[in-house]
Amino acid sequence: FEVHLKLVHVNGKEVVKAKPLLLFILRDCDGSTPVTQLQTTITTDLTKIWDTMNKPDEFSESKLEEFFEVQCKELPHYKYETENWKERVRELSTAFLPGGPVFQGRSSKDVPAEGFPAYAAQLWKTIESDGDLDLPTQRKMLSMVRCDAKRKALTLSVQSKYPGWIEGADESDFKSRVEEGVAGVKSEFDEGTTGYDEEIRNDTIVKLEQDLWPVLQEAFDSLTKKSRHKAEAKYSEELSKMMPEEGKLPEKGFSVRLRSVHDAALEELRKSLVSLIPDKAPWRDRVHDAQESMRQNIGKDELAAKRQLVAHVQGVCQRRIKEQLSRALVPLLDEVPDTLWQDVQTAHRAALEHAKVEMKQVLEDAGMWEDKFSRELTRFADTLVNDKFSDKSEESTLAKKMFEKFDMNFNRARSRMWRLWDNPDQDMMRARELGLRVLDMFSSSQLYKDGEWPEGTSSVRYINDDRREQLEADFEAKVRGELVWAQMTRANSSTHTSMLAGVLIVVLGWNEIFWLLTHPIYLFLFIAFTGGAAVYYFLNWIGDWPQLVAMALRLLAGGIPGAPATPTDPLAHCAHLAGPPGREKRPATAPARSAAT
């Protein structure tokens, strides 16, 4: 009653011309009690309810009959008067037809006939729950129920239909196909909900569209995945093109170019995916998710490419170090100069510093530089030098190099003419030191000075003790033989003075020599002339003033030059000079050779 009162009157003004009909169907009537009497009883009960209900002040004294029309219709007992019951029901049903007494003079409720059972059931449900009965809202609820049922049915049908919409679709027509399919579903909804509340229909069609997007999102995600894979493949191809050619370093600006390609790939993916999104589809966040997935994937590719770049740059720098060091080391190891290790250090430092500068510039530009790369490059160069020396030290030509160094400074392949003023013992000692120095150079690494070796490294031995002793022993044996030959050659050269005296006697004759001896002035002039000629010849063709003075001193101290030497054992003398095996036992100077008397 309270709800109907609100419905009929608003602020004391009647809004419905006809009073609402309260129709009661009285079942199982046997005729013993008249219907009028039963209606009076029902009206009395309704009046009691009316009197106890809360009414606005202006309706506090109003009667029930002022607002409602009460009618009662009887029905016989269905079990005992089945045919009579059916006939009576048919009569009563005509009252509910359009223009019938139930609706005659009363406003339309805007409820389609097919929806009336649900409408009535909802009314009674609300009444039973003692709710605030709002009839216009109940009519909307009916529209909501029917429209929602249609929405659900269409949503289910789309799940089976949409694969046909997008079959064979690509990036060029996916959007148009989906929009066409959604438009068809919305049109079908409009046709199936004609006559229901317009506002509810509009709200429900929005919900229907919202329900369709999750169903269609699977297809969009599938196409998005394909587009992303295509974009990633294209990016990988661009990334491969950026890698430098074999044996070359990348150009400056690698990191900038990489970032540019990276951003362009993501932007291209975004544009391609946005072009796939139908109007009103809430899939913009899926584009962002696809970009993030691609960013992660190409980030892995970029990291792998940068690591490949690091390996490539290291390989190029190592190759350049190897080429530069090889050009420098090969002639040095063949010639074995006295400054071998100093020259090796210079070549090693030059090649290493140049390669480090190039590598650091490139890797810093790519954002991949680490200090350990410098240490690794140093170890590579050190290993390269050590390998070169180790290979040479293992060759059989090392003994030959030792002897060649000695011989070049001593007998010169036995082509040297040993003169009276030469000292084979002292020359042998100097040449011997040079030969053994070659062995020292190839015995262990001298790439760094003591205390300057890089952390974790130390000098490397190329020759073990046993091989060193063998090389020294073989070398000493050859040295002894060369010293014997030098001493023999010098001894033979000392007879030249006696031969010259004999030639002088033969050429001048005895009388001329006797005449010179008996005329001191002419003898002095002859001696001065021949002596000056000898000095001139010596200075221009043989030696210099220090050697001339040394020879004169030996002549004054040792007697007449050219006299036979005191017999000695040359091999024993050489053994005395060499001493026992080992450099530390070698004498610093040779003993003076005994002069002939």
Side-chain angles (χ1 to χ4, degrees), residues 413-428:
R414 298 196 175 185
S415 63
R416 179 175 179 178
M417 182 179 292
W418 289 94
R419 306 183 183 97
L420 178 65
W421 49 87
D422 290 329
N423 190 334
D425 296 336
Q426 292 182 353
D427 289 353
M428 183 277 295

Side-chain angles (χ1 to χ4, degrees), residues 146-212:
R146 299 297 299 175
C147 291
D148 193 62
K150 189 67 174 178
R151 175 182 64 83
K152 291 179 179 179
L154 289 175
T155 302
L156 290 175
S157 68
V158 168
Q159 292 180 355
S160 59
K161 290 180 180 179
Y162 88 87
W165 300 352
I166 61 174
E167 183 178 1
D170 55 20
E171 297 178 356
S172 62
D173 59 354
F174 175 81
K175 179 179 178 179
S176 60
R177 288 194 182 190
V178 171
E179 289 179 342
E180 182 180 348
V182 171
V185 173
K186 292 168 66 175
S187 177
E188 185 177 350
F189 177 84
D190 285 337
E191 294 175 358
T193 58
T194 302
Y196 289 99
D197 186 270
E198 191 67 22
E199 181 180 358
I200 299 301
R201 291 176 69 226
N202 292 336
D203 293 342
T204 305
I205 202 169
V206 172
K207 292 181 180 179
L208 172 62
E209 196 170 18
Q210 293 175 347
D211 291 343
L212 295 181

Side-chain angles (χ1 to χ4, degrees), residues 32-70:
S32 59
T33 305
V35 174
T36 55
Q37 184 178 347
L38 293 175
Q39 182 172 337
T40 301
T41 301
I42 292 173
T43 302
T44 302
D45 293 338
L46 291 175
T47 301
K48 292 179 181 179
I49 298 174
W50 174 264
D51 292 338
T52 58
M53 63 173 278
N54 295 323
K55 297 182 288 294
D57 294 339
E58 62 269 25
F59 301 131
S60 60
E61 300 300 330
S62 299
K63 301 298 183 179
L64 175 67
E65 292 80 4
E66 298 177 17
F67 296 94
F68 297 95
E69 179 185 353
V70 179

Side-chain angles (χ1 to χ4, degrees), residues 295-314:
R295 183 177 286 108
Q296 293 178 3
N297 292 338
I298 66 178
K300 296 176 182 178
D301 292 341
E302 287 177 6
L303 182 59
K306 286 183 176 181
R307 289 175 177 171
Q308 181 182 351
L309 179 67
V310 170
H312 176 84
V313 172
Q314 287 179 320

Side-chain angles (χ1 to χ4, degrees), residues 359-378:
M359 182 171 67
K360 187 173 183 180
Q361 288 177 345
V362 172
L363 296 186
E364 279 185 340
D365 177 62
M368 294 297 290
W369 170 254
E370 296 181 30
D371 292 338
K372 68 176 184 179
F373 297 150
S374 177
R375 296 191 295 270
E376 291 173 355
L377 201 60
T378 299

Side-chain angles (χ1 to χ4, degrees), residues 51-245:
D51 292 338
T52 58
M53 63 173 278
N54 295 323
K55 297 182 288 294
D57 294 339
E58 62 269 25
F59 301 131
S60 60
E61 300 300 330
S62 299
K63 301 298 183 179
L64 175 67
E65 292 80 4
E66 298 177 17
F67 296 94
F68 297 95
E69 179 185 353
V70 179
Q71 292 184 11
C72 291
K73 301 294 182 179
E74 78 285 0
L75 280 177
H77 199 289
Y78 176 79
K79 182 176 181 181
Y80 300 111
E81 299 180 68
T82 304
E83 296 299 326
N84 190 20
W85 184 91
K86 292 180 179 179
E87 181 63 26
R88 182 60 176 163
V89 167
R90 281 193 294 270
E91 293 176 1
L92 292 176
S93 64
T94 60
F96 293 91
L97 296 177
V102 173
F103 299 112
Q104 188 174 9
R106 297 179 176 85
S107 61
S108 174
K109 303 303 181 181
D110 294 328
V111 177
E114 65 170 341
F116 183 78
Y119 171 69
Q122 184 63 37
L123 287 177
W124 281 110
K125 183 178 180 181
T126 306
I127 292 171
E128 290 173 355
S129 62
D130 196 23
D132 187 0
L133 190 61
D134 186 347
L135 294 184
T137 302
Q138 296 302 323
R139 287 194 296 274
K140 288 186 177 181
M141 289 181 65
L142 175 63
S143 298
M144 291 173 59
V145 171
R146 299 297 299 175
C147 291
D148 193 62
K150 189 67 174 178
R151 175 182 64 83
K152 291 179 179 179
L154 289 175
T155 302
L156 290 175
S157 68
V158 168
Q159 292 180 355
S160 59
K161 290 180 180 179
Y162 88 87
W165 300 352
I166 61 174
E167 183 178 1
D170 55 20
E171 297 178 356
S172 62
D173 59 354
F174 175 81
K175 179 179 178 179
S176 60
R177 288 194 182 190
V178 171
E179 289 179 342
E180 182 180 348
V182 171
V185 173
K186 292 168 66 175
S187 177
E188 185 177 350
F189 177 84
D190 285 337
E191 294 175 358
T193 58
T194 302
Y196 289 99
D197 186 270
E198 191 67 22
E199 181 180 358
I200 299 301
R201 291 176 69 226
N202 292 336
D203 293 342
T204 305
I205 202 169
V206 172
K207 292 181 180 179
L208 172 62
E209 196 170 18
Q210 293 175 347
D211 291 343
L212 295 181
W213 299 131
V215 176
L216 300 172
Q217 181 175 307
E218 181 180 354
F220 175 76
D221 289 343
S222 178
L223 193 57
T224 296
K225 187 176 181 180
K226 293 180 180 178
S227 298
R228 178 169 58 82
H229 288 168
K230 182 179 179 181
E232 290 173 358
K234 183 177 179 181
Y235 175 80
S236 298
E237 183 178 352
E238 292 294 327
L239 194 61
S240 299
K241 293 179 180 179
M242 292 180 60
M243 299 302 293
E245 297 179 5

